[in-house]
Amino acid sequence: LHCPLLLLLLPLSSRPQKLPTRDEELFQMQIRDKAFFHDSSVIPDGAEISSYLFRDTPKRYFFVVEEDNTPLAVTVTPCDAPLEWKLSVQELPEETSGEGSEPLEQQKQQITNEEGTELFSYKGNDVEYFVSSSSPSGLYQLDLLSTEKDTHFKVYATTTPESDQPYPELPYDPRVDVTSLGRTTVTLAWKPSPTASLLKQPIQYCIVINKEHNFKSLCAVEAKLSSDDAFMMAPKPGLDFSPFDFAHFGFPSDNNSGKERGFLKSLSKFGRQTSPKPRVDLHKVCIGNKNIFTVSDLKPDTQYYFDMFAVNTNTNMSTAYVGTFARTKEEAKQKTVELKDGKVTDVFIKRKGAKFLRFAPVSSHQKVTFSIHSCLDAVQIQVRRDGKLLLSQNVEGVRQFQLRGKAKAKYLIRLKGSKKGASVLKILATTRPNKQSFPSLPEDTRIKAFDKLRTCSSVTVAWLGTQERNKFCIYKREVDDNYNEEQKKREQNQCLGPDTRKKTEKVLCKYFHSQNIQKAVTTETIRGLQPGKSYLLDVYVIGHGGHSVKYQSKLVKTRKFC
């Protein structure tokens, strides 16, 4: 016979079956009665199999080497739990014939009672190999056991290890190197697999990123990415379960699907079912045949573990590089801005960024007031007094917060910008209650235009005021007919005051307030406009300290024909 290897998988049905093979001639065995192997499983020479182990339930594989001095390689890959495995060999029973031949039961008893000579044993979760350039003929026995939990595993064996090479070969330096490190990025580099560079086989590289530990195999990664030990992920009966597994629970080893439901029901009585665990923060990305890659969107000051796997896309078998780990850099320490009592400070914050400010009153105080004017989108403010959080709110427009004071207290203010874009704001901190630099605003800062009062040369508008007497200035600017809301939105910086406008755009200024908040409404008619033209109107309210706040701009259009 040309190939002397036969691997036997344990989970088979009790019915007589044909042994899988790449070539039927390879599997003409010395033992004529194949019923002898009815409770074993078979792997063809040069094929990787995946199977499943129940905790504390051993599995046994057999394979036959028929000729002495045969090369042999066996690879066992644990997936999500450490394995104990042992490879041993014993002599095959001599072939006999006629009336003097031993009954089959006696031959079977003879083999199964013999332990054989142990060749190799291993305990752990590494991918481990047994390789021999010259193996004796005999019946080889592979025993596997998981004492930790139910688990998947893979087995590969071949009598032609030199020519098969299904696993990608590692380079002479199999390490993954960290070539660049940032706050949110890590750049990795590794040497290409000789299987790709020399043998020109199709290889792709897969990177695995997590915060817990490095992985020994891609099989272990995929087990972790699955439903985390849920029993329903176990192989279906008739495929990878052995008759022993069925008999253990009192079921016949018949491969019919009608037994599957009862089998799973029986398992629950034995506590085999497990509740799903929360998924780990684990990411796998395959990047083709590149040998440099930048991992992005990481968290600052966080340790990550990086594993690289070379995958042969023809065989779907993989080899692990030596993984690495790295801690991303810390966030750049923010410079803290000192606030002076009663003085307005301008603050610019990058998109998604933050700024820290400090306010340390020089005198004792009963109250402290923080006034904030967010010029664009909403910002978040947090105020801590001597480390204790006093305030955390989102601010849009102008807001004022008054907090109880404390002798010799120091206040730390954290301002967090918008996710949409950069943020611009003004902030004032004071211990003097009457010090009010920003004007008070109504809740609604829109300008209303009266369509029925619109003429070819004028428009009439109205806006709300407050109970506080303030100065209001209205400005107009002619715009194109295609001027839209998006352009108007870009000009909504409320902190830009009248001093940024042309004198020719000014319509008028007036003082206005009302003690009755329900009547705090003013109207104004803007004249001298051109027929059929569009205008952008702005109202500014100016406080006692000279700081102004702009209402929401209003786009109006005069009538074309009157």
Side-chain angles (χ1 to χ4, degrees):
L1 296 178
H2 301 292
C3 178
L5 173 66
L6 183 64
L7 283 184
L8 303 172
L9 260 172
L10 192 59
L12 287 182
S13 72
S14 61
R15 297 193 297 265
Q17 63 176 32
K18 205 171 193 178
L19 302 178
T21 176
R22 293 187 294 185
D23 184 343
E24 283 296 323
E25 291 183 1
L26 303 181
F27 290 86
Q28 301 302 317
M29 301 180 60
Q30 290 180 344
I31 302 174
R32 295 177 178 177
D33 192 342
K34 295 184 177 61
F36 171 75
F37 294 101
H38 80 278
D39 57 354
S40 303
S41 293
V42 180
I43 307 175
D45 186 359
E48 183 181 60
I49 61 146
S50 299
S51 193
Y52 196 81
L53 273 176
F54 287 128
R55 181 171 60 88
D56 295 330
T57 304
K59 271 192 176 178
R60 176 169 292 177
Y61 292 71
F62 295 98
F63 59 90
V64 174
V65 173
E66 297 190 357
E67 297 178 3
D68 288 330
N69 304 317
T70 299
L72 177 63
V74 178
T75 303
V76 177
T77 303
C79 291
D80 46 351
L83 294 181
E84 297 178 22
W85 63 274
K86 179 179 69 173
L87 183 66
S88 55
V89 64
Q90 58 181 286
E91 290 184 4
L92 280 169
E94 294 182 3
E95 183 176 78
T96 54
S97 60
E99 295 182 0
S101 62
E102 293 184 14
L104 174 65
E105 288 302 319
Q106 291 183 22
Q107 297 181 27
K108 181 177 178 181
Q109 191 68 28
Q110 174 187 341
I111 293 179
T112 55
N113 284 346
E114 292 180 10
E115 283 298 321
T117 303
E118 183 176 315
L119 300 176
F120 183 82
S121 65
Y122 174 76
K123 181 178 180 180
N125 59 356
D126 282 329
V127 180
E128 195 54 72
Y129 313 87
F130 170 80
V131 180
S132 173
S133 59
S134 179
S135 297
S137 62
L139 180 67
Y140 284 73
Q141 185 172 297
L142 179 64
D143 295 291
L144 299 103
L145 176 68
S146 172
T147 58
E148 189 173 297
K149 62 178 181 177
D150 299 350
T151 182
H152 291 85
F153 66 93
K154 294 185 178 184
V155 176
Y156 173 79
T158 180
T159 54
T160 54
E162 291 298 324
S163 60
D164 282 5
Q165 297 186 349
Y167 296 99
E169 188 181 346
L170 290 178
Y172 67 91
D173 181 2
R175 294 174 298 180
V176 177
D177 296 317
V178 176
T179 61
S180 176
L181 195 62
R183 291 193 301 273
T184 60
T185 61
V186 172
T187 300
L188 306 171
W190 57 96
K191 292 177 175 59
S193 165
T195 306
S197 57
L198 299 178
L199 301 180
K200 305 301 181 185
Q201 291 190 23
I203 297 295
Q204 75 165 345
Y205 299 100
C206 295
I207 300 174
V208 174
I209 308 108
N210 80 104
K211 298 178 185 176
E212 292 188 357
H213 55 76
N214 289 109
F215 286 89
K216 304 288 183 70
S217 68
L218 200 53
C219 173
V221 173
E222 289 162 352
K224 201 73 173 176
L225 285 171
S226 69
S227 297
D228 285 348
D229 303 334
F231 175 75
M232 294 304 290
M233 293 301 293
K236 291 182 179 179
L239 296 182
D240 287 320
F241 286 11
S242 75
F244 173 80
D245 297 326
F246 283 89
H248 183 74
F249 298 105
F251 281 84
S253 55
D254 195 341
N255 273 357
N256 82 58
S257 58
K259 295 290 190 290
E260 181 177 351
R261 193 170 299 174
F263 174 71
L264 295 176
K265 183 178 179 181
S266 174
L267 290 181
S268 63
K269 298 178 183 178
F270 285 78
R272 293 267 184 202
Q273 287 179 324
T274 58
S275 56
K277 301 174 185 176
R279 292 199 174 192
V280 294
D281 190 5
L282 177 67
H283 302 278
K284 178 184 118 178
V285 56
C286 295
I287 59 168
N289 58 7
K290 296 186 294 183
N291 63 331
I292 186 168
F293 185 75
T294 298
V295 184
S296 56
D297 295 326
L298 303 176
K299 293 182 179 179
D301 194 26
T302 304
Q303 181 156 302
Y304 289 90
Y305 294 85
F306 304 94
D307 291 292
M308 177 63 55
F309 299 93
V311 182
N312 187 326
T313 55
N314 280 346
T315 64
N316 204 31
M317 295 165 79
S318 60
T319 306
Y321 279 67
V322 177
T324 188
F325 60 89
R327 179 174 287 275
T328 50
K329 290 184 178 180
E330 295 182 12
E331 284 276 20
K333 291 188 176 180
Q334 295 279 355
K335 182 181 177 182
T336 303
V337 179
E338 294 286 342
L339 296 178
K340 293 184 178 180
D341 198 332
K343 184 179 179 181
V344 175
T345 301
D346 293 310
V347 180
F348 174 81
I349 308 173
K350 293 180 180 178
R351 177 176 173 266
K352 294 184 179 181
K355 282 286 177 72
F356 292 89
L357 303 94
R358 184 174 174 270
F359 180 52
V362 294
S363 58
S364 60
H365 56 284
Q366 292 183 336
K367 293 181 179 179
V368 61
T369 302
F370 293 95
S371 299
I372 301 172
H373 181 191
S374 178
C375 308
L376 298 170
D377 295 313
V379 296
Q380 185 190 59
I381 179 173
Q382 286 186 346
V383 179
R384 294 179 184 271
R385 185 184 64 203
D386 300 330
K388 182 181 179 182
L389 183 65
L390 301 180
L391 173 70
S392 180
Q393 284 205 24
N394 289 331
V395 174
E396 197 167 6
V398 176
R399 290 288 301 276
Q400 181 174 297
F401 304 98
Q402 198 168 69
L403 305 174
R404 183 176 295 178
K406 188 179 180 182
K408 299 181 181 179
K410 293 180 176 60
Y411 299 86
L412 182 66
I413 302 99
R414 179 180 184 268
L415 297 169
K416 186 176 181 182
S418 167
K419 295 180 180 179
K420 299 177 183 178
S423 300
V424 180
L425 57 95
K426 296 176 181 288
I427 184 169
L428 176 141
T430 182
T431 56
R432 291 167 283 176
N434 297 327
K435 184 71 175 179
Q436 176 71 355
S437 290
F438 297 139
S440 58
L441 287 174
E443 289 186 6
D444 190 346
T445 58
R446 291 176 298 177
I447 301 170
K448 178 177 174 57
F450 298 96
D451 186 64
K452 291 183 178 180
L453 301 179
R454 197 164 50 102
T455 72
C456 291
S457 60
S458 69
V459 293
T460 300
V461 295
W463 65 90
L464 298 177
T466 65
Q467 294 173 312
E468 185 179 319
R469 188 171 184 267
N470 284 315
K471 181 181 179 181
F472 293 87
C473 294
I474 186 165
Y475 284 73
K476 64 173 172 58
R477 176 165 65 92
E478 185 179 333
V479 293
D480 296 334
D481 287 340
N482 59 0
Y483 187 88
N484 55 36
E485 289 295 322
E486 189 62 33
Q487 291 173 282
K488 186 174 74 172
K489 188 177 181 181
R490 287 199 294 267
E491 299 177 7
Q492 284 303 308
N493 188 338
Q494 292 186 335
C495 295
L496 297 177
D499 54 327
T500 63
R501 304 297 295 262
K502 296 178 182 179
K503 290 183 179 180
T504 54
E505 295 177 351
K506 184 177 179 179
V507 177
L508 59 86
C509 290
K510 68 176 183 180
Y511 286 90
F512 160 69
H513 78 291
S514 176
Q515 292 300 322
N516 185 348
I517 195 66
Q518 303 296 329
K519 296 182 179 180
V521 182
T522 185
T523 60
E524 197 64 46
T525 299
I526 297 130
R527 307 179 191 278
L529 307 179
Q530 297 298 315
K533 296 293 183 180
S534 297
Y535 294 87
L536 192 69
L537 304 182
D538 288 306
V539 170
Y540 297 88
V541 55
I542 303 167
H544 302 303
H547 294 284
S548 64
V549 179
K550 184 164 71 76
Y551 279 45
Q552 297 178 42
S553 300
K554 181 66 177 179
L555 186 65
V556 296
K557 189 173 184 179
T558 56
R559 295 188 185 277
K560 196 170 185 179
F561 304 104
C562 296

